[in-house]
Amino acid sequence: MNFGFTEEQELLRQEVRKLLDARAPMEAVRKIAETPEGFSRELWKEMGQLGWLGLTIPEAHGGAGLGWVDLVVLLEETGRTLFPSPLVATTLAAAAIRDAGSAAQQARWLPRLADGSAIGTVALAERGDRFEAPAIQLAGRREGDGWALDGEKVGVLDGAAADLLVVSFRTGAGPDDVALAVVERGAAGLALESTPSIDLTRRVARARFAGVRVAGDAVLAGGAAALARLLDRAAAAVTAETIGAAEGALRLTVDYARERVQFGAPIGRFQGVKHPLAEMYVDVESFKSLLYYAAWCLDEGHPDAPRFVSMAKAYAGEAFARIGIDGVQLHGGVGYTWEYDIQMYLKRSKWARAAFGDPDHHYDRVAKLRTEAR
Amino acid sequence: MDFHLTPEEEAFRAEVRAFLDEMLPPGTNAMDPKFLATWQRRVREKRWVGFSWPKEVGGGGGSIMQQVILKEEMAKRKAPPLGSCFMGLAWVGPAIIEYGTEAQKQRFVPDILDGKYQWCTGYSEPGSGSDLASLQCRAVREGDHYVVNGQKIWTSIAMWSKWIILLVRTGPPGVENKHDGITCLLVEMETPGITVRPIRNMSGGAMFAEVFFDDVRVPVENRLGEEGQGWKVTVSALAHERSSIAEVEGLLRKLDELVELAQGAVKNGRPALADDAIRRRIARFETRIEAMRMNGMRFLTKQLRGEPLGADTSINKLHRADLEVEMGDLALEIQGGDGHLEKEVDGGRWQRFALNWPEVVIGGGTPNIQRNIIAERVLGLPKD
């Protein structure tokens, strides 16, 4: 039994932290986030060269062939300073193709995702918080060996910049009659439109499908099971970033509480300030433990994976939202200003709570999995 | 990261399971005194009482992983406790093994393992609760004896104990000597001058007591550790208390019972468990309990790597506090109008649960004390 990271993983953490500290401290993050695209093509290229983009892509396709536990290390660090890039989006697209793609499909798309020459994303959610198989409405109509897609996806991560999208769509009337397919940028009938977010560091888009043609060789295998697995991976990735982001928000607030003097003492000496900070720490450490185990289960194909992904995502969504609010509140008036960084974490928490299932959704799933297990 | 067990560890788990299959077939009455006597004899033979203690003192010499496996399996099957001297096994024994003289070890450790009698713990005083180190109970050296005068409170099972592990002030009073002036004594409860007065708690029971010391003479040979070392002896003992991993299994069993209760109870004409809000609250409990398990695993990895645990164990103590209170509260809420009746539902099981949480939540350091520990020792915030 060993619930810790390896030396290689610790080295990866240091390497990521070093580059981000040097090239993307908070001032730089703010500048990058305010550009029209919302991320730096230059840093994107470097991330590709460093192997971050292909971290979980097999070596045969130009990746590092590592697992979700390694990815957690990377995402914790990019989350810490809300580093804006299509890293999560691209990683999820690659995971879908690796998990459910044929050898030919993997060879066709994975190398471009691994070196960053293509930006990938997943288009799974629809209006009304629908993303699980039975709720999918984006319609597939049989056309030759493939499909024609009609409908709309929302909240598509980095959708406006994406070169290829893994999209979920309905193939029949049964609840599990769904499939995943790869659609490339420029496909006739596909319209990608950026939808401005309150969180500048997190870009999302709406994708409209009007008779978008998907050839048979662009459809991935696995149907509803592949979608469920992708959703688990997505929820885990968001939670991994949330660990870093929540720790970043906690650090900022603790530092502020040690410096800010009122009533003749640093406010961090008062229990009214100390105790909410201690609660933040308890929560971060706890959803971190759940997520680490969930990531290991994903790598091992362990049956605990769905339950622990949902527990981690539910806990993190709830706790990070609270941390954002308490963080701003403990800063007092300056926390409300654009100038101070804590507000950026609060905004991220609003996205992270809802992305790929809010706490209620995941608690419902935990309850259901428990009932099924009894 | 690797959660697989080694073949040796798997074999040990199988051994424990086989033992439990043999000892606890379906229908076993675990409260039957005859069964309990056999149980205690058998687990003692297995050396599973004091399993973590060195073999030289009669313990089992179990590895950290083996201890975890043993505790987990026992809790899963709701097995009776391993050994019957609760506080002796939890912290008095470990403190004696670490700080005691050879004579003290020989005199006390075998009796604790055999469960010959109970120990109780005399730390808290009326004026010294959360601020334990301010304690006032005095011991003055007179030749080869200490003479103790003062009062202890919240002393669990004092009325049924033969011995007490006692913290007294031996140094001069004053802030500088707050911790250094404290000494630890082992005192026989039958010594003249000791008076025990039970305290009735809010559930109606009386598990703890006030203990008064009036010119109580304690031989110097019953001092544990050096004079002025009492705080160190205590802190290490309390750390033992905060590191229990088996409590997770106990909480999961409690959660099962709560699910059963929610299945059987009717709310607005349908089972309470069909109510989304109730289901989510239960799922939230499950999430916190599993988080405790995984936190425990991370602390365990630290221990296995020889790193100090520090204040991390306060995290699980805080979760436990929330869970004890909220689970009991939900149980009574599910029972609706019957929730406030003493014995109407399940013989009052949940009512007792909902009224007894202070024992776990306040004992060993209140939630706010745990938050102070985390804020100051982990986050580096200034001391108040």
Side-chain angles (χ1 to χ4, degrees), chain A residues 274 279 286 289 363 370, chain B residues 2 256 288 295 319 371 376:
Chain A
K274 235 176 223 181
E279 287 295 337
S286 300
S289 296
Y363 282 134
R370 184 178 178 86
Chain B
D2 185 4
D256 282 340
R288 266 60 184 177
N295 286 338
H319 279 308
R371 291 184 189 106
E376 289 165 15

Side-chain angles (χ1 to χ4, degrees), chain B residues 262-301:
Chain B
Q263 260 166 349
V266 174
K267 277 260 175 213
N268 298 320
R270 54 181 194 160
L273 195 61
D275 183 290
D276 277 346
I278 288 176
R279 282 163 61 88
R280 283 174 192 158
R281 279 162 78 180
I282 292 174
R284 208 169 171 279
F285 296 150
E286 186 182 347
T287 301
R288 266 60 184 177
I289 298 169
E290 291 293 1
M292 285 176 73
R293 181 206 301 281
M294 293 303 152
N295 286 338
M297 292 288 189
R298 278 173 60 213
F299 307 151
L300 183 63
T301 299

